[in-house]
Amino acid sequence: MPEVTGHAAGRPSWAELASPDVKASGAFYCSLFGWYVYTVTVPEYGDYDIFTLGDVQGPEVAGMQALADDAQPPSWTCYFRTDDIDATLAAVKAAGGQELVPAMDVSDLGRMALCSDSEGADFALWVPGNLKGAGVVDEPAAMCWVELASRDTEEARRFYGKVFGWQTVEREYYTPYTNFKVGDWSVGGMVSIEQLNRYAYEAEPHWIPYFWVEDCDATAARAAELGGRVLLPPTDIGPGRYSVLADPAGARLAVITPARGDGPGEAR
């Protein structure tokens, strides 16, 4: 899965950080992953930062914008591809979710909407324009997985099945785990918040992105050195060795060193 442009509807396409201090967040992630960050001004939208691999010419990895207000928590938002944003929004509402930000054009980059599922976990929809999504995935320093933490995993299976047509496969690592699938491809996973609270950290329903790293332990240690927190220490599971982190502002993300060279999406 080297490029997101060929993804079918319902597959993750982008991850976006909302930060109270974009300069400080940019410095953290560039130091942690070796990213470069530059700013574009989008008409009627404001400044938007884009992380790339290597330098300004590198492929896009993720986006970043300033928090809309101080009441919002710093967070990563996972975007999912859709070919018909209005129909997908209708499906979200019919399944018990909410439309938080109505569909809107982001200049010529694409069309987006922000939603929450029936338990309140936020996610976004994206119809590509000139920004197709992440220019590279499933490679070191790039996004390779997304994961939902849910209170009611049966309800989440129902909701996302209705909205995206996802199928599920149940797995057992050190805790029960659900893989969401589009066709033969595993596009993301789900863990129970009850289990998450038991072995990691307290949380409300949420999505987080995973980024591929060459050395999970070294990356977790580096995040702590840079002012972040290690919420779940490096742990071995079937797809590889992973850790859940919080950046200095508190936004959660995960990193993983895959057990195989093809990334956790191949864990079918």
Side-chain angles (χ1 to χ4, degrees), residues 121-158:
D122 293 354
F123 64 98
L125 305 174
W126 184 250
V127 179
N130 285 338
L131 180 62
K132 305 303 181 185
V136 60
V137 294
D138 285 2
E139 292 184 12
M143 185 171 71
C144 62
W145 192 246
V146 294
E147 183 178 270
L148 172 67
S150 170
R151 283 197 192 91
D152 185 340
T153 54
E154 284 298 326
E155 168 59 18
R157 292 183 190 97
R158 182 202 66 82

Side-chain angles (χ1 to χ4, degrees), residues 26 29-30 34-39 50-58:
Y29 286 99
C30 289
W35 291 348
Y36 178 87
V37 62
Y38 66 90
T39 303
I50 295 179
F51 291 111
T52 64
L53 286 185
D55 57 33
V56 69
Q57 300 297 325

Side-chain angles (χ1 to χ4, degrees), residues 228-247:
R229 290 182 296 138
V230 179
L231 301 178
L232 175 66
T235 302
D236 290 321
I237 54 175
R241 187 166 176 81
Y242 88 115
S243 179
V244 180
L245 312 173
D247 70 17

Side-chain angles (χ1 to χ4, degrees), residues 70-222:
D70 293 339
Q72 289 185 314
S75 63
W76 279 93
T77 298
C78 298
Y79 278 66
F80 297 93
R81 167 75 179 268
T82 178
D83 296 324
D84 187 335
I85 201 166
D86 295 315
T88 305
L89 280 172
V92 166
K93 290 182 279 190
Q98 294 186 355
E99 177 187 291
L100 303 179
V101 175
M104 60 180 288
D105 291 322
V106 185
S107 186
D108 61 352
L109 299 180
R111 188 166 174 80
M112 65 82 66
L114 182 64
C115 314
S116 64
D117 66 19
S118 53
E119 293 188 277
D122 293 354
F123 64 98
L125 305 174
W126 184 250
V127 179
N130 285 338
L131 180 62
K132 305 303 181 185
V136 60
V137 294
D138 285 2
E139 292 184 12
M143 185 171 71
C144 62
W145 192 246
V146 294
E147 183 178 270
L148 172 67
S150 170
R151 283 197 192 91
D152 185 340
T153 54
E154 284 298 326
E155 168 59 18
R157 292 183 190 97
R158 182 202 66 82
F159 177 87
Y160 290 101
K162 292 289 188 182
V163 173
F164 292 126
W166 289 348
Q167 303 298 312
T168 60
V169 173
E170 303 309 312
R171 301 192 179 279
E172 186 71 37
Y173 298 129
Y174 57 89
T175 184
Y177 196 84
T178 299
N179 274 21
F180 291 119
K181 300 182 71 174
V182 172
D184 290 334
W185 195 271
S186 293
V187 296
M190 175 172 61
V191 64
S192 163
I193 279 186
E194 179 182 354
Q195 295 295 324
L196 191 66
N197 291 345
R198 184 176 301 168
Y199 63 76
Y201 57 92
E202 296 289 327
E204 296 297 315
H206 65 280
W207 282 95
I208 61 169
Y210 276 59
F211 297 96
W212 181 324
V213 295
E214 297 281 14
D215 187 329
C216 180
D217 295 71
T219 301
R222 179 61 175 158

